[in-house]
Amino acid sequence: MLTLHQVKKSYWGGNRALDSVNLSIGPGEIVGLFGENGAGKTTLMKCILGLLRYGGVITLDDQPITTKNIARLSFATCEHSYFPALTAASHRAFYRDMFPNFREKRFAALMEFFELAMHKPIRSFSTGQKNQFEVILALSQGADYILMDEPFAGNDIFNREDFYKVLLGILEPHETILLSTHLLEEVQHFIGRAVLLHKGQVAGDITTSQLEDEGRTLMEFVKETYRYQADRVSQALDKLTGEE
Amino acid sequence: MTPDLSPLYPLGWPWQKELQYTGAALGLSAIYAFFRFVFPFQAAVNQLYELRGRERVLIPGETVPPFPQVFAGALAGVWLVALCLLLMPVFHHRWHWWGSRSIYLMRRLPRRWEFCRRCVAGPALGLAGTVLCALLMVTLCFLWYWFLTPAGHLPPDVWAGIGGILC
Protein backbone atom coordinates (compact mmCIF):
# COMPACT_ATOMS: atom_id res chain seq x y z
CA MET A 1 0.00 0.00 0.00
CA LEU A 2 1.37 3.39 -1.03
CA THR A 3 0.24 5.94 1.52
CA LEU A 4 0.53 9.70 1.51
CA HIS A 5 -0.31 11.49 4.71
CA GLN A 6 -0.58 15.27 4.92
CA VAL A 7 1.91 15.71 2.09
CA LYS A 8 2.82 19.33 1.47
CA LYS A 9 5.18 20.86 -0.99
CA SER A 10 6.01 24.51 -1.56
CA TYR A 11 8.34 25.93 -4.14
CA TRP A 12 10.45 29.03 -3.86
CA GLY A 13 8.37 32.13 -3.45
CA GLY A 14 5.81 30.32 -1.32
CA ASN A 15 3.99 28.79 -4.29
CA ARG A 16 2.20 25.83 -2.69
CA ALA A 17 2.17 22.90 -5.13
CA LEU A 18 0.73 20.31 -2.74
CA ASP A 19 -1.44 21.12 0.21
CA SER A 20 -2.09 18.40 2.78
CA VAL A 21 -2.58 15.56 0.33
CA ASN A 22 -3.89 12.32 1.81
CA LEU A 23 -4.02 9.35 -0.50
CA SER A 24 -3.75 5.57 -0.31
CA ILE A 25 -3.18 3.37 -3.31
CA GLY A 26 -3.43 -0.37 -2.86
CA PRO A 27 -1.79 -3.19 -4.79
CA GLY A 28 -3.32 -3.94 -8.16
CA GLU A 29 -5.11 -0.61 -8.55
CA ILE A 30 -5.00 1.35 -11.76
CA VAL A 31 -5.41 4.96 -10.73
CA GLY A 32 -5.82 7.93 -13.02
CA LEU A 33 -4.45 11.17 -11.64
CA PHE A 34 -6.15 14.16 -13.18
CA GLY A 35 -6.00 17.88 -12.79
CA GLU A 36 -5.43 21.11 -14.62
CA ASN A 37 -1.92 22.24 -15.48
CA GLY A 38 -0.20 23.20 -12.26
CA ALA A 39 -2.59 21.15 -10.11
CA GLY A 40 0.34 19.27 -8.60
CA LYS A 41 0.27 15.92 -10.44
CA THR A 42 3.93 15.87 -11.41
CA THR A 43 4.98 17.28 -8.05
CA LEU A 44 3.04 14.53 -6.30
CA MET A 45 4.82 11.83 -8.27
CA LYS A 46 8.21 13.40 -7.74
CA CYS A 47 7.56 13.58 -4.00
CA ILE A 48 6.62 9.89 -3.94
CA LEU A 49 9.87 9.04 -5.72
CA GLY A 50 11.91 11.22 -3.39
CA LEU A 51 12.99 13.51 -6.22
CA LEU A 52 11.64 16.51 -4.30
CA ARG A 53 11.71 17.40 -0.65
CA TYR A 54 8.30 17.56 0.95
CA GLY A 55 6.47 17.84 4.22
CA GLY A 56 4.31 15.03 5.58
CA VAL A 57 4.75 11.29 5.33
CA ILE A 58 4.89 8.93 2.36
CA THR A 59 5.17 5.22 3.06
CA LEU A 60 5.23 2.01 1.10
CA ASP A 61 3.71 -0.82 3.12
CA ASP A 62 4.19 1.30 6.24
CA GLN A 63 7.89 1.77 5.55
CA PRO A 64 9.45 5.06 4.50
CA ILE A 65 10.68 5.05 0.93
CA THR A 66 14.44 4.59 0.96
CA THR A 67 17.04 2.86 -1.20
CA LYS A 68 15.88 -0.39 0.39
CA ASN A 69 12.44 -0.28 -1.24
CA ILE A 70 12.78 2.33 -3.97
CA ALA A 71 13.10 -0.43 -6.60
CA ARG A 72 9.43 -1.19 -5.93
CA LEU A 73 8.62 2.11 -7.63
CA SER A 74 9.21 2.88 -11.28
CA PHE A 75 8.64 6.08 -13.20
CA ALA A 76 7.81 6.94 -16.79
CA THR A 77 7.79 10.63 -17.50
CA CYS A 78 7.08 12.76 -20.55
CA GLU A 79 10.39 14.46 -19.78
CA HIS A 80 12.01 11.02 -20.32
CA SER A 81 14.44 9.45 -17.92
CA TYR A 82 16.45 7.27 -20.29
CA PHE A 83 19.93 8.05 -21.62
CA PRO A 84 19.63 9.35 -25.20
CA ALA A 85 23.13 8.26 -26.17
CA LEU A 86 22.59 4.66 -25.08
CA THR A 87 20.94 1.86 -27.00
CA ALA A 88 18.00 -0.15 -25.74
CA ALA A 89 20.37 -3.08 -25.19
CA SER A 90 22.60 -0.95 -22.97
CA HIS A 91 19.59 0.23 -20.99
CA ARG A 92 18.55 -3.38 -20.52
CA ALA A 93 22.02 -4.24 -19.21
CA PHE A 94 21.95 -1.33 -16.77
CA TYR A 95 18.43 -2.08 -15.51
CA ARG A 96 19.32 -5.76 -15.16
CA ASP A 97 22.28 -4.74 -13.03
CA MET A 98 20.40 -2.21 -10.91
CA PHE A 99 16.99 -3.77 -10.47
CA PRO A 100 17.00 -7.38 -9.29
CA ASN A 101 13.41 -7.97 -10.44
CA PHE A 102 13.98 -6.64 -13.96
CA ARG A 103 11.49 -8.32 -16.29
CA GLU A 104 13.61 -9.57 -19.15
CA LYS A 105 10.78 -11.31 -20.99
CA ARG A 106 8.42 -8.37 -20.74
CA PHE A 107 11.11 -6.00 -21.99
CA ALA A 108 11.85 -8.21 -25.00
CA ALA A 109 8.17 -8.74 -25.77
CA LEU A 110 7.32 -5.03 -25.60
CA MET A 111 10.36 -4.05 -27.67
CA GLU A 112 9.27 -6.53 -30.29
CA PHE A 113 5.65 -5.47 -30.15
CA PHE A 114 6.51 -1.81 -30.71
CA GLU A 115 9.19 -2.74 -33.22
CA LEU A 116 11.88 -0.71 -31.51
CA ALA A 117 15.51 -1.15 -32.47
CA MET A 118 17.70 -2.74 -29.81
CA HIS A 119 21.02 -1.43 -31.06
CA LYS A 120 20.31 2.15 -32.05
CA PRO A 121 20.80 5.08 -29.66
CA ILE A 122 17.47 6.20 -28.22
CA ARG A 123 18.08 9.73 -29.52
CA SER A 124 17.56 8.37 -33.05
CA PHE A 125 14.01 7.23 -32.16
CA SER A 126 10.93 9.26 -33.12
CA THR A 127 9.04 11.11 -30.35
CA GLY A 128 6.46 8.35 -30.19
CA GLN A 129 9.10 5.65 -30.01
CA LYS A 130 10.91 7.52 -27.25
CA ASN A 131 7.68 7.61 -25.24
CA GLN A 132 7.14 3.93 -25.88
CA PHE A 133 10.64 3.13 -24.73
CA GLU A 134 10.22 5.22 -21.59
CA VAL A 135 7.08 3.29 -20.69
CA ILE A 136 8.68 -0.05 -21.58
CA LEU A 137 11.50 0.65 -19.11
CA ALA A 138 9.03 1.57 -16.37
CA LEU A 139 6.98 -1.57 -17.00
CA SER A 140 10.02 -3.83 -17.17
CA GLN A 141 11.82 -2.59 -14.08
CA GLY A 142 9.98 -5.12 -11.95
CA ALA A 143 8.34 -2.51 -9.77
CA ASP A 144 5.10 -3.02 -7.87
CA TYR A 145 4.07 0.62 -8.26
CA ILE A 146 4.44 2.13 -11.71
CA LEU A 147 4.12 5.90 -11.84
CA MET A 148 3.45 7.44 -15.24
CA ASP A 149 3.43 11.16 -15.82
CA GLU A 150 1.72 11.94 -19.13
CA PRO A 151 3.67 9.17 -20.80
CA PHE A 152 1.85 9.34 -24.11
CA ALA A 153 2.32 13.04 -24.86
CA GLY A 154 3.20 13.11 -28.56
CA ASN A 155 1.90 9.64 -29.40
CA ASP A 156 -0.85 9.21 -31.95
CA ILE A 157 -4.21 7.76 -30.97
CA PHE A 158 -3.54 4.28 -32.42
CA ASN A 159 -0.32 4.11 -30.55
CA ARG A 160 -1.97 5.06 -27.29
CA GLU A 161 -4.81 2.59 -27.82
CA ASP A 162 -2.26 -0.14 -28.39
CA PHE A 163 -0.55 0.75 -25.21
CA TYR A 164 -3.69 0.64 -23.08
CA LYS A 165 -4.52 -2.79 -24.44
CA VAL A 166 -1.01 -4.08 -23.93
CA LEU A 167 -0.92 -2.68 -20.42
CA LEU A 168 -4.16 -4.36 -19.45
CA GLY A 169 -2.89 -7.59 -20.97
CA ILE A 170 0.48 -7.75 -19.29
CA LEU A 171 -0.10 -6.31 -15.82
CA GLU A 172 -0.02 -8.80 -13.01
CA PRO A 173 -2.62 -8.58 -10.23
CA HIS A 174 -0.24 -6.99 -7.73
CA GLU A 175 1.07 -4.35 -10.12
CA THR A 176 -0.24 -0.87 -9.49
CA ILE A 177 -0.38 2.00 -11.94
CA LEU A 178 -0.65 5.68 -11.09
CA LEU A 179 -1.23 7.40 -14.40
CA SER A 180 -1.26 11.15 -14.76
CA THR A 181 -2.83 12.33 -17.98
CA HIS A 182 -5.15 14.87 -19.54
CA LEU A 183 -6.66 12.24 -21.84
CA LEU A 184 -9.68 11.60 -19.63
CA GLU A 185 -11.97 9.96 -22.12
CA GLU A 186 -9.27 7.71 -23.45
CA VAL A 187 -8.26 6.22 -20.14
CA GLN A 188 -11.65 6.01 -18.45
CA HIS A 189 -12.12 2.37 -19.51
CA PHE A 190 -8.59 1.51 -18.55
CA ILE A 191 -8.47 2.89 -15.01
CA GLY A 192 -10.29 1.62 -11.94
CA ARG A 193 -10.13 4.77 -9.92
CA ALA A 194 -9.83 8.49 -10.59
CA VAL A 195 -8.12 10.97 -8.30
CA LEU A 196 -8.59 14.64 -9.07
CA LEU A 197 -6.12 17.23 -7.95
CA HIS A 198 -7.01 20.89 -7.85
CA LYS A 199 -4.62 23.56 -6.65
CA GLY A 200 -2.52 21.03 -4.82
CA GLN A 201 -5.38 19.33 -3.01
CA VAL A 202 -7.31 16.15 -3.64
CA ALA A 203 -10.57 17.50 -5.03
CA GLY A 204 -12.11 14.17 -5.90
CA ASP A 205 -11.46 10.46 -5.49
CA ILE A 206 -13.83 7.93 -7.00
CA THR A 207 -13.76 4.42 -8.46
CA THR A 208 -15.01 3.86 -11.98
CA SER A 209 -17.48 1.27 -10.70
CA GLN A 210 -18.98 3.97 -8.46
CA LEU A 211 -19.24 6.21 -11.50
CA GLU A 212 -20.97 3.45 -13.44
CA ASP A 213 -23.39 2.87 -10.59
CA GLU A 214 -24.19 6.56 -10.55
CA GLY A 215 -24.55 6.60 -14.34
CA ARG A 216 -21.95 9.29 -14.77
CA THR A 217 -18.97 9.49 -17.05
CA LEU A 218 -15.51 10.40 -15.86
CA MET A 219 -15.70 13.66 -17.79
CA GLU A 220 -18.97 14.59 -16.06
CA PHE A 221 -17.44 13.80 -12.69
CA VAL A 222 -14.42 15.95 -13.45
CA LYS A 223 -16.55 18.85 -14.67
CA GLU A 224 -18.77 18.66 -11.60
CA THR A 225 -15.81 18.49 -9.26
CA TYR A 226 -14.17 21.47 -10.87
CA ARG A 227 -17.50 23.29 -11.16
CA TYR A 228 -16.83 23.70 -14.83
CA GLN A 229 -18.99 26.43 -16.38
CA ALA A 230 -20.05 25.12 -19.75
CA ASP A 231 -21.07 28.54 -20.96
CA ARG A 232 -17.84 30.34 -20.01
CA VAL A 233 -16.50 30.17 -23.57
CA SER A 234 -19.66 31.60 -25.11
CA GLN A 235 -19.76 34.30 -22.40
CA ALA A 236 -16.17 35.24 -23.10
CA LEU A 237 -16.82 35.31 -26.84
CA ASP A 238 -19.94 37.45 -26.30
CA LYS A 239 -17.89 39.91 -24.28
CA LEU A 240 -15.16 40.03 -26.86
CA THR A 241 -17.50 40.49 -29.82
CA GLY A 242 -19.54 43.00 -27.80
CA GLU A 243 -16.43 45.08 -27.28
CA GLU A 244 -15.92 45.30 -31.00
CA MET B 1 43.50 -2.85 -25.12
CA THR B 2 41.73 -0.23 -22.99
CA PRO B 3 40.02 -1.67 -19.92
CA ASP B 4 36.29 -0.96 -19.66
CA LEU B 5 36.14 2.04 -17.37
CA SER B 6 32.56 2.93 -18.32
CA PRO B 7 31.23 2.09 -14.81
CA LEU B 8 33.29 5.02 -13.54
CA TYR B 9 31.52 7.52 -15.79
CA PRO B 10 27.91 8.58 -16.42
CA LEU B 11 25.99 6.25 -18.71
CA GLY B 12 26.51 7.18 -22.33
CA TRP B 13 29.26 9.65 -21.50
CA PRO B 14 32.14 9.52 -24.04
CA TRP B 15 34.59 8.37 -21.38
CA GLN B 16 37.23 7.16 -23.86
CA LYS B 17 37.43 10.71 -25.21
CA GLU B 18 37.67 12.15 -21.71
CA LEU B 19 40.53 9.74 -20.98
CA GLN B 20 42.24 10.57 -24.28
CA TYR B 21 41.99 14.31 -23.65
CA THR B 22 43.20 13.90 -20.07
CA GLY B 23 46.12 11.79 -21.26
CA ALA B 24 47.00 14.28 -24.00
CA ALA B 25 46.75 17.22 -21.58
CA LEU B 26 48.98 15.42 -19.08
CA GLY B 27 51.46 14.60 -21.83
CA LEU B 28 51.63 18.26 -22.88
CA SER B 29 51.89 19.30 -19.23
CA ALA B 30 54.81 16.91 -18.76
CA ILE B 31 56.58 18.32 -21.81
CA TYR B 32 55.94 21.84 -20.55
CA ALA B 33 57.23 20.89 -17.08
CA PHE B 34 60.38 19.41 -18.56
CA PHE B 35 61.28 22.42 -20.70
CA ARG B 36 60.16 24.86 -18.00
CA PHE B 37 62.76 23.15 -15.79
CA VAL B 38 65.53 22.49 -18.28
CA PHE B 39 66.02 26.07 -19.52
CA PRO B 40 66.38 27.70 -16.04
CA PHE B 41 68.53 24.77 -14.97
CA GLN B 42 70.83 25.18 -17.95
CA ALA B 43 71.03 28.91 -17.24
CA ALA B 44 71.93 28.14 -13.61
CA VAL B 45 74.62 25.69 -14.70
CA ASN B 46 76.03 28.28 -17.10
CA GLN B 47 76.33 30.68 -14.17
CA LEU B 48 78.75 28.24 -12.54
CA TYR B 49 81.31 28.95 -15.23
CA GLU B 50 83.46 31.90 -16.08
CA LEU B 51 85.52 32.49 -19.14
CA ARG B 52 89.26 32.45 -18.75
CA GLY B 53 90.52 33.42 -22.12
CA ARG B 54 88.71 31.05 -24.40
CA GLU B 55 88.16 28.41 -21.77
CA ARG B 56 85.09 27.97 -19.57
CA VAL B 57 86.06 27.05 -16.04
CA LEU B 58 83.96 26.35 -12.98
CA ILE B 59 83.90 29.03 -10.35
CA PRO B 60 84.98 27.43 -7.08
CA GLY B 61 82.33 27.57 -4.34
CA GLU B 62 79.57 28.62 -6.73
CA THR B 63 76.42 26.45 -6.54
CA VAL B 64 73.25 26.06 -8.52
CA PRO B 65 70.06 27.22 -6.75
CA PRO B 66 68.17 24.56 -4.77
CA PHE B 67 66.03 22.24 -6.90
CA PRO B 68 62.63 23.73 -5.92
CA GLN B 69 63.81 27.14 -7.06
CA VAL B 70 64.84 25.85 -10.48
CA PHE B 71 61.72 23.73 -10.78
CA ALA B 72 59.31 26.49 -9.72
CA GLY B 73 56.35 26.89 -12.08
CA ALA B 74 57.12 23.72 -13.99
CA LEU B 75 53.97 22.00 -12.77
CA ALA B 76 51.64 24.82 -13.84
CA GLY B 77 50.25 22.71 -16.71
CA VAL B 78 49.65 19.76 -14.43
CA TRP B 79 47.76 21.93 -11.96
CA LEU B 80 45.67 23.30 -14.81
CA VAL B 81 44.72 19.76 -15.81
CA ALA B 82 43.91 19.01 -12.16
CA LEU B 83 41.66 22.06 -12.02
CA CYS B 84 39.80 20.93 -15.14
CA LEU B 85 39.40 17.47 -13.64
CA LEU B 86 38.01 18.97 -10.45
CA LEU B 87 35.35 20.67 -12.57
CA MET B 88 34.46 17.50 -14.51
CA PRO B 89 31.97 16.17 -11.90
CA VAL B 90 29.87 19.26 -12.62
CA PHE B 91 29.73 18.35 -16.31
CA HIS B 92 29.04 14.72 -15.45
CA HIS B 93 26.17 15.84 -13.26
CA ARG B 94 24.78 18.15 -15.97
CA TRP B 95 24.98 15.26 -18.45
CA HIS B 96 21.87 13.84 -16.79
CA TRP B 97 19.87 16.83 -18.03
CA TRP B 98 21.01 16.75 -21.63
CA GLY B 99 18.40 15.40 -24.04
CA SER B 100 16.35 13.85 -21.24
CA ARG B 101 16.04 13.83 -17.46
CA SER B 102 18.05 10.70 -16.75
CA ILE B 103 18.71 12.34 -13.38
CA TYR B 104 15.27 10.98 -12.38
CA LEU B 105 16.49 7.45 -12.97
CA MET B 106 19.86 7.94 -11.34
CA ARG B 107 18.34 9.50 -8.23
CA ARG B 108 15.99 6.61 -7.62
CA LEU B 109 18.43 3.74 -7.89
CA PRO B 110 18.60 1.19 -5.10
CA ARG B 111 22.37 1.67 -4.99
CA ARG B 112 22.66 4.89 -3.05
CA TRP B 113 26.14 5.88 -4.27
CA GLU B 114 25.84 4.81 -7.90
CA PHE B 115 25.01 8.29 -9.20
CA CYS B 116 27.68 9.98 -7.09
CA ARG B 117 30.26 7.37 -8.07
CA ARG B 118 29.58 7.83 -11.77
CA CYS B 119 29.97 11.60 -11.46
CA VAL B 120 33.15 11.56 -9.39
CA ALA B 121 35.11 8.33 -9.97
CA GLY B 122 36.40 9.12 -13.47
CA PRO B 123 37.77 12.56 -12.56
CA ALA B 124 39.20 11.06 -9.34
CA LEU B 125 41.04 8.52 -11.48
CA GLY B 126 42.26 11.38 -13.68
CA LEU B 127 43.41 13.29 -10.60
CA ALA B 128 45.34 10.24 -9.42
CA GLY B 129 46.98 10.16 -12.86
CA THR B 130 47.75 13.86 -12.53
CA VAL B 131 49.45 13.35 -9.16
CA LEU B 132 51.45 10.46 -10.63
CA CYS B 133 52.45 12.62 -13.57
CA ALA B 134 53.55 15.40 -11.20
CA LEU B 135 55.58 12.94 -9.10
CA LEU B 136 57.13 11.47 -12.23
CA MET B 137 58.17 14.88 -13.49
CA VAL B 138 59.56 15.90 -10.12
CA THR B 139 61.59 12.67 -10.00
CA LEU B 140 62.80 12.94 -13.59
CA CYS B 141 63.78 16.58 -13.26
CA PHE B 142 65.43 16.02 -9.92
CA LEU B 143 67.52 13.20 -11.35
CA TRP B 144 68.45 15.51 -14.22
CA TYR B 145 69.36 18.22 -11.70
CA TRP B 146 71.34 15.80 -9.50
CA PHE B 147 73.37 14.13 -12.18
CA LEU B 148 73.95 17.04 -14.56
CA THR B 149 75.06 19.56 -11.97
CA PRO B 150 78.87 19.54 -11.95
CA ALA B 151 80.21 17.68 -8.94
CA GLY B 152 80.69 19.85 -5.90
CA HIS B 153 78.41 22.56 -7.16
CA LEU B 154 75.16 21.38 -5.60
CA PRO B 155 73.85 23.59 -2.81
CA PRO B 156 74.15 22.27 0.77
CA ASP B 157 70.34 21.78 0.91
CA VAL B 158 69.06 20.82 -2.52
CA TRP B 159 65.46 20.75 -1.25
CA ALA B 160 65.49 24.19 0.38
CA GLY B 161 62.16 25.93 -0.15
CA ILE B 162 60.47 22.69 -1.12
CA GLY B 163 57.09 24.42 -1.27
CA GLY B 164 58.28 26.06 -4.48
CA ILE B 165 57.76 22.77 -6.31
CA LEU B 166 54.03 23.15 -5.89
CA CYS B 167 53.96 26.61 -7.43
Side-chain angles (χ1 to χ4, degrees):
Chain A
M1 176 82 79
L2 180 66
T3 312
L4 289 82
H5 179 68
Q6 292 290 308
V7 173
K8 299 182 183 84
K9 171 69 192 173
S10 295
Y11 288 110
W12 289 101
N15 179 21
R16 180 153 281 198
L18 293 177
D19 189 4
S20 304
V21 171
N22 292 305
L23 190 63
S24 290
I25 302 170
E29 283 195 86
I30 300 179
V31 182
L33 186 62
F34 307 105
E36 74 278 16
N37 290 328
K41 304 184 295 294
T42 303
T43 303
L44 183 78
M45 290 196 174
K46 287 182 180 174
C47 287
I48 294 171
L49 291 158
L51 299 173
L52 293 174
R53 289 184 182 185
Y54 58 88
V57 181
I58 301 177
T59 57
L60 189 55
D61 293 338
D62 298 325
Q63 298 296 317
I65 298 168
T66 64
T67 48
K68 284 180 185 165
N69 57 4
I70 190 77
R72 293 185 61 203
L73 301 172
S74 70
F75 187 39
T77 163
C78 56
E79 292 178 281
H80 299 149
S81 59
Y82 51 69
F83 287 85
L86 287 190
T87 63
S90 302
H91 278 89
R92 180 181 57 189
F94 182 68
Y95 268 68
R96 200 188 277 153
D97 187 31
M98 286 295 141
F99 301 104
N101 297 328
F102 181 69
R103 293 169 176 273
E104 198 89 39
K105 268 189 180 174
R106 185 182 281 184
F107 181 83
L110 289 171
M111 288 295 290
E112 198 183 325
F113 178 79
F114 289 105
E115 297 172 352
L116 300 181
M118 281 296 279
H119 300 285
K120 279 186 181 172
I122 309 304
R123 64 170 166 242
S124 68
F125 286 8
S126 69
T127 306
Q129 288 175 322
K130 284 174 181 171
N131 290 339
Q132 286 166 350
F133 186 68
E134 177 76 10
V135 176
I136 288 173
L137 285 176
L139 290 172
S140 306
Q141 186 191 300
D144 299 326
Y145 291 81
I146 301 160
L147 281 58
M148 296 189 187
D149 186 18
E150 300 191 39
F152 309 116
N155 284 53
D156 61 58
I157 177 72
F158 304 111
N159 220 301
R160 296 197 298 265
E161 286 282 332
D162 279 352
F163 234 120
Y164 302 138
K165 286 174 195 164
V166 169
L167 268 177
L168 285 176
I170 63 165
L171 285 179
E172 289 179 10
H174 68 277
E175 285 181 286
T176 308
I177 300 264
L178 180 60
L179 173 66
S180 154
T181 180
H182 291 289
L183 306 168
L184 284 174
E185 280 153 328
E186 259 184 52
V187 298
Q188 65 179 340
H189 302 297
F190 164 68
I191 60 171
R193 178 181 165 194
V195 174
L196 271 62
L197 281 182
H198 180 54
K199 292 182 178 171
Q201 292 181 316
V202 176
D205 187 350
I206 195 165
T207 61
T208 45
S209 53
Q210 267 178 282
L211 280 175
E212 276 169 30
D213 292 345
E214 292 168 13
R216 290 191 293 170
T217 65
L218 181 58
M219 185 59 91
E220 283 166 351
F221 171 70
V222 170
K223 284 180 175 174
E224 280 165 28
T225 309
Y226 286 142
R227 294 184 185 89
Y228 178 75
Q229 295 167 279
D231 58 344
R232 64 192 281 265
V233 176
S234 54
Q235 279 178 4
L237 286 173
D238 284 348
K239 268 187 188 176
L240 284 167
T241 47
E243 274 174 17
E244 283 170 14
Chain B
M1 199 175 127
T2 318
D4 181 20
L5 299 178
S6 58
L8 303 181
Y9 293 89
L11 283 163
W13 178 263
W15 61 273
Q16 290 103 329
K17 272 194 179 164
E18 185 180 321
L19 274 182
Q20 280 168 11
Y21 289 142
T22 307
L26 283 178
L28 289 173
S29 305
I31 292 168
Y32 172 80
F34 183 70
F35 286 108
R36 182 73 175 74
F37 160 75
V38 159
F39 289 120
F41 173 69
Q42 199 52 51
V45 168
N46 288 341
Q47 301 256 315
L48 299 176
Y49 292 89
E50 62 179 359
L51 277 175
R52 284 189 193 154
R54 290 190 135 197
E55 200 181 349
R56 283 176 84 218
V57 290
L58 284 162
I59 305 165
E62 194 70 32
T63 59
V64 291
F67 175 72
Q69 200 178 317
V70 186
F71 193 72
L75 292 180
V78 177
W79 300 143
L80 189 67
V81 175
L83 182 70
C84 293
L85 285 168
L86 282 172
L87 292 174
M88 282 315 289
V90 178
F91 290 98
H92 288 174
H93 196 272
R94 293 302 302 169
W95 174 251
H96 298 91
W97 273 272
W98 288 338
S100 72
R101 293 290 180 272
S102 50
I103 183 82
Y104 295 156
L105 170 63
M106 296 307 287
R107 284 191 55 201
R108 60 176 186 84
L109 293 176
R111 284 189 208 158
R112 183 194 292 266
W113 300 109
E114 181 71 17
F115 178 47
C116 185
R117 186 172 61 82
R118 285 182 179 268
C119 287
V120 170
L125 185 74
L127 277 173
T130 306
V131 171
L132 272 179
C133 176
L135 286 175
L136 189 75
M137 290 319 294
V138 169
T139 309
L140 182 75
C141 292
F142 182 73
L143 290 174
W144 189 280
Y145 171 88
W146 186 260
F147 288 110
L148 295 184
T149 300
H153 290 269
L154 284 168
D157 183 4
V158 292
W159 289 105
I162 195 168
I165 285 180
L166 301 174
C167 298

